Amino acid sequence: MTPSGFSVRHRDQGMVLPNIETVELDSSAVSLEGFDHYMLKEIYEQPESLKNAMRGRLDDQDATAIFGGLNLTPQQLRSVDRIILTGCGTSWHSALVGEYMIEELARIPVEVEYASELRYRNPPLENNTLVFGITQSGETADTLAALRETKRKGHRTLAICNVVGSSIAQAADGGIYLHAGPEIGVASTKAFTSQCCVLAMLALYFGRTRHISYESGKRIIEELRSLPGLVQQALGCDQRVRIVAEKYKDATNFLYLGRRYNFPTALEGALKLKEISYIHAEGYPAAEMKHGPIALVDAHTPSVFLVPPGTTYEKVMSNMEEVKARGGPIIAIASHDDPRVEAIADDVIHLPEAPEFLQPIVSVVPLQLLAYHIALLRGCDVDKPRNLAKSVTVE
């Protein structure tokens, strides 16, 4: 660099002409704006980040979603026979939610792979397989390597990421930006809900190219548009969550349990607690408790149940009763006015009702807040937890 300009030289290739883009960033995006921590600020930004993820991408006329950056023709997208979603950590959990969404709405087989494993595997991939790398930073080393390996074998690779111009955004054949704004807290919050939202729109898009009717597409669009309001309502549980956190802050083990769409939500809730409060926590499908984890249940191990209305409601209620019979404390995340849950659970956190396929985006809010408040009460640094980095750029 010199006072009058700069040049870029590559060690092997010599002079390089870089592509320069101006990043338009409002100073408010990186200021705390009255919040005590970036993590709390980013939790509260989720209604807005969801709006940004959907802005300009919902097409009322054709009852579908629009993505300008996929770089695939409609014919190529209609020929997709299989989708692989790959990511790490929180992005892997959003991929699990996406698997449920795409298989249910679009009827396309989906596999979810840890990027750190996929990069070293040699799975048979058919010609019409589409590989999505999911990442907040766009710099995750394992996800980048997995995409490059599948691209090397001739498969189309797409990215779902938040950072414009990142390594993964450049390496992929196309992709979808989250537009969630900077996420500074190490524990991902708004990126998770934005990823789930983008995957829901992707499921709608693929579904409309196949068997979803126009009327069903319109209904899904209306449900997606209701999301920011539902998440805003969910944030109203903050005070109640603080009380629950005070009660259980000294626990050394937690179980997080849910079914269907809320199984990945349980995994994400457990990860948040581990990341910032250093409490051991495990997420399971609720029915899997009987296959081993129920041995952990005692008076000192709280179980967090995700029990919104839906197809598996009765099954989850039965699992709650099993934990109650063994003396385990129960924290239930339930819909408003559910006397059956109130009768069993020790503590209930109420949420607004949401369509089943969008429940993870609403249900994760109290889990994020629970992890935040417990970590705070235990004196932990919620924005910079020990041993963790925001972006894992090495193996």
Side-chain angles (χ1 to χ4, degrees):
M1 296 187 72
T2 67
S4 59
F6 71 95
S7 61
V8 181
R9 286 181 174 83
H10 190 276
R11 182 187 59 191
D12 303 321
Q13 301 167 9
M15 186 69 74
V16 175
L17 293 176
N19 177 32
I20 299 171
E21 294 182 20
T22 301
V23 178
E24 296 181 5
L25 191 62
D26 192 300
S27 60
S28 65
V30 292
S31 68
L32 281 167
E33 292 188 309
F35 288 94
D36 292 333
H37 301 92
Y38 282 109
M39 182 181 178
L40 186 61
K41 174 178 180 265
E42 287 153 11
I43 291 171
Y44 272 82
E45 284 176 344
Q46 287 176 116
E48 193 60 34
S49 62
L50 288 167
K51 289 178 189 175
N52 291 338
M54 290 186 280
R55 185 169 286 117
R57 288 174 170 163
L58 296 175
D59 182 352
D60 290 293
Q61 185 171 342
D62 292 326
T64 188
I66 305 169
F67 299 107
L70 294 181
N71 298 334
L72 293 169
T73 66
Q75 290 76 18
Q76 287 174 314
L77 287 165
R78 274 194 289 272
S79 68
V80 171
D81 294 328
R82 181 182 176 207
I83 293 173
I84 291 180
L85 304 176
T86 187
C88 304
T90 287
S91 296
W92 187 76
H93 296 156
S94 68
L96 288 174
V97 175
E99 178 184 21
Y100 283 89
M101 290 172 170
I102 294 169
E103 289 190 342
E104 184 160 324
L105 298 182
R107 310 301 298 162
I108 301 173
V110 179
E111 291 181 42
V112 177
E113 298 274 1
Y114 281 111
S116 55
E117 291 298 312
L118 180 60
R119 65 182 293 188
Y120 292 114
R121 289 181 58 212
N122 188 27
L125 301 180
E126 298 81 5
N127 287 336
N128 293 332
T129 298
L130 203 55
V131 180
F132 279 90
I134 305 177
T135 164
Q136 188 283 135
S137 67
E139 302 294 341
T140 310
D142 287 320
T143 308
L144 179 59
L147 284 192
R148 283 176 173 164
E149 182 63 21
T150 53
K151 189 175 183 178
R152 191 176 295 116
K153 293 174 181 175
H155 297 284
R156 300 289 295 183
T157 59
L158 299 171
I160 296 175
C161 74
N162 193 35
V163 179
V164 176
S166 57
S167 298
I168 287 172
Q170 294 180 58
D173 296 312
I176 305 166
Y177 284 119
L178 302 178
H179 301 306
E183 189 178 66
I184 295 169
V186 167
S188 183
T189 51
K190 64 178 179 177
F192 172 77
T193 50
S194 293
Q195 286 167 350
C196 291
C197 181
V198 164
L199 287 162
M201 291 188 289
L202 203 59
L204 167 63
Y205 177 83
F206 279 116
R208 283 290 288 138
T209 63
R210 285 164 168 76
H211 74 281
I212 288 181
S213 69
Y214 177 83
E215 288 303 319
S216 295
K218 291 283 285 184
R219 174 182 52 78
I220 291 168
I221 285 176
E222 289 172 9
E223 290 169 342
L224 281 163
R225 286 202 173 116
S226 73
L227 256 182
L230 293 174
V231 171
Q232 189 65 56
Q233 290 180 55
L235 288 167
C237 73
D238 193 0
Q239 189 57 44
R240 173 63 182 153
V241 173
R242 287 185 201 185
I243 295 169
V244 174
E246 182 70 46
K247 183 175 178 180
Y248 296 103
K249 71 180 188 301
D250 295 321
T252 55
N253 293 286
F254 271 76
L255 290 173
Y256 285 73
L257 303 151
R259 296 291 296 271
R260 274 180 40 93
Y261 287 101
N262 280 306
F263 160 50
T265 318
L267 291 175
E268 176 62 10
L271 178 62
K272 289 284 97 63
L273 191 69
K274 283 183 277 197
E275 282 180 315
I276 63 170
S277 74
Y278 320 138
I279 294 173
H280 174 255
E282 296 291 341
Y284 287 98
E288 287 300 302
M289 276 198 343
K290 293 173 286 188
H291 299 275
I294 201 164
L296 298 172
V297 172
D298 61 22
H300 308 291
T301 303
S303 294
V304 181
F305 274 91
L306 294 153
V307 58
T311 53
T312 57
Y313 174 83
E314 293 296 336
K315 302 291 185 183
V316 179
M317 290 296 296
S318 174
N319 298 140
M320 281 178 58
E321 288 169 348
E322 290 171 336
V323 171
K324 187 71 172 180
R326 287 158 179 81
I330 294 173
I331 303 166
I333 313 296
S335 296
H336 288 300
D337 304 322
D338 192 329
R340 290 183 62 190
V341 173
E342 302 270 359
I344 299 172
D346 298 279
D347 297 277
V348 182
I349 299 167
H350 293 113
L351 292 177
E353 285 192 32
E356 261 193 277
F357 78 106
L358 297 178
Q359 281 174 358
I361 300 171
V362 180
S363 299
V364 79
V365 172
L367 305 187
Q368 294 169 343
L369 289 167
L370 183 65
Y372 171 81
H373 288 300
I374 287 178
L376 212 59
L377 290 164
R378 290 167 68 93
C380 303
D381 187 339
V382 296
D383 283 337
K384 291 182 284 186
R386 69 188 183 202
N387 306 333
L388 295 176
K390 183 61 183 169
S391 180
V392 182
T393 56
V394 295
E395 280 199 78

